[in-house]
Structure formats: structure tokens, C-alpha cells
Amino acid sequence: PGVNGQGIGIAIVDSGIATHSALKDSALKNKVVANISFVTGDPSTDDAYGHGTHVAGIIAGQAGPSVTNLYDGGIAPGAQLVNVRVLGADGRGFTSDVIAGIDWVIENRALYKIRVMNLSLGHPIGESCVTDPLCEAVARAVGAGIVVVASAGNDGRSENGQRILGGITSPGNSPFAITVGALNTWGTSDRSDDTVTDYSSRGPTKFDLADKPDLAAP
């Protein structure tokens, strides 16, 4: 409980972060300390899709009845958030915009004390991680001292319900990223019955055959 992210900046490279009471601290000070958009043709930093705000709440949200009594707050409620919008109102975006956002985070890491970058996004793998431009951007970030967390993807099953192997998305295939999948707890606190959620992407990674994801959580 004493490890709450105090003094740590976390860049959320996503669909933006909307204004929300859960994203203020106990003194009602905004936890989002910087906002920038790299969405082509859309300078707004607001979240018209909802995904980035959801991610921000998981990471550093403040619990309270204004949200829901079922929400106990984020994992690191003492952290400061940096809103880097790269996805549009439909949740989609250009890879080039994402890369521009990652490079901005690298350039501004000292200014906002950014130690972690979250990339809950991805596209199908089309080449080895060695030459994938998105994976190269992740490698640059890690080389600059930033911990990069990426989603495994939501390609764990086909439209007819069959399990898919090798569905990890880029940049979750990067060896420099901590790639996270989703668990189904089956409504219990016991870990022994946990399984990877059907929709969550599984490895091995395409082309490189790497073991991914690195971890999974509810």
C-alpha cells in the first residue's frame, strides 16, 4: 500500500484523457499534468472514445462515490499522468501518429518525470520486431530509461469462437516491452482457477516466435 506511484510520471499514449473527478487528487488538483495530441487533423486532447480515460483510471484513479462504490481506485493513485493522444474518436489512428507520440514522450521525459509509458493499443504484426517501426520506437523509449507497458491485444479468438495462437499485436511483440494479457478470475480471489481470458491475445509472436505476453492480470 505504501507504493503508490508518488513522484512518478506516466505517459498514457491512447485516445486522450477526459476531465473526470476520479482523475483529481484529494486536494482536487488535476492528476493530468500535460496534454498533447498527435492525431492527424485533430488537435483536441479530449477523449471522444473513452478508452484512454478508462486506462487512466486503472492506473491512477481516485476512488469515490462519484465514480462507483465498486471502484477502489487505481494501482498508482499518487502518480502524475501525461496525456498523449494518438487515437481518434473511433479508437483508431495512424502508426505514424503513435510513433510521433512515443518520440515526444522520450523528448519530454525529464520535464514531466516520465518513468513509464502505457501503450494499450496495437496493430497486426506484419514483420519482425527488429524492423517494425513501432517496435523500434519502443526500443528507443526503453533505451532512454522509460519502462514501456504494452497490451497483448484482443485477438485471442476468431469470429466463430475458435482459439487463436500467435495473435499478439505490435508493439506487444517487442522484447523491450512488458506485454500484458488479460485474466479471467472466475469471480474468486484464489489464483489457482485463473485462466487467460478468451479474447486476450496469446503467443508465440508472429515471425519472431517470442514468448508473450510477459504477464497477465484481471
Side-chain angles (χ1 to χ4, degrees):
V3 181
N4 66 0
Q6 192 72 38
I8 300 296
I10 301 175
I12 299 178
V13 183
D14 212 291
S15 63
I17 301 177
T19 301
H20 198 288
S21 59
L23 298 177
K24 298 181 185 295
D25 61 21
S26 56
L28 299 182
K29 185 178 179 180
N30 200 339
K31 294 184 180 185
V32 181
V33 297
N35 298 276
I36 191 166
S37 174
F38 288 95
V39 178
T40 298
D42 186 356
S44 172
T45 58
D46 197 11
D47 184 6
Y49 188 62
H51 189 269
T53 308
H54 185 179
V55 169
I58 293 172
I59 292 173
Q62 193 78 22
S66 61
V67 186
T68 168
N69 291 328
L70 298 176
Y71 178 60
D72 292 329
I75 295 299
Q80 293 184 321
L81 304 177
V82 177
N83 172 21
V84 183
R85 184 171 180 252
V86 297
L87 303 177
D90 59 354
R92 299 174 183 270
F94 293 114
T95 300
S96 55
D97 291 347
V98 178
I99 292 172
I102 293 172
D103 286 336
W104 182 90
V105 171
I106 296 171
E107 293 169 8
N108 291 274
R109 65 190 184 281
L111 180 61
Y112 299 111
K113 300 179 181 178
I114 298 170
R115 288 284 291 112
V116 181
M117 176 163 50
N118 191 85
L119 295 164
S120 291
L121 47 77
H123 63 65
I125 295 174
E127 59 190 299
S128 168
C129 64
V130 177
T131 54
D132 183 325
L134 195 49
C135 290
E136 289 179 325
V138 167
R140 287 195 296 275
V142 173
I146 300 170
V147 176
V148 178
V149 182
S151 57
N154 297 326
D155 297 326
R157 63 186 175 196
S158 64
E159 291 183 1
N160 63 7
Q162 289 185 318
R163 178 172 294 180
I164 297 173
L165 298 179
I168 301 290
T169 55
S170 172
N173 60 321
S174 168
F176 295 98
I178 298 174
T179 306
V180 184
L183 283 180
N184 187 341
T185 66
W186 300 102
T188 74
S189 59
D190 192 334
R191 290 186 180 182
S192 64
D193 62 350
D194 291 358
T195 58
V196 176
T197 307
D198 284 347
Y199 65 77
S200 191
S201 293
R202 295 167 168 80
T205 62
K206 194 174 181 180
F207 298 113
D208 303 302
L209 304 180
D211 291 333
K212 290 282 186 173
D214 298 296
L215 58 89

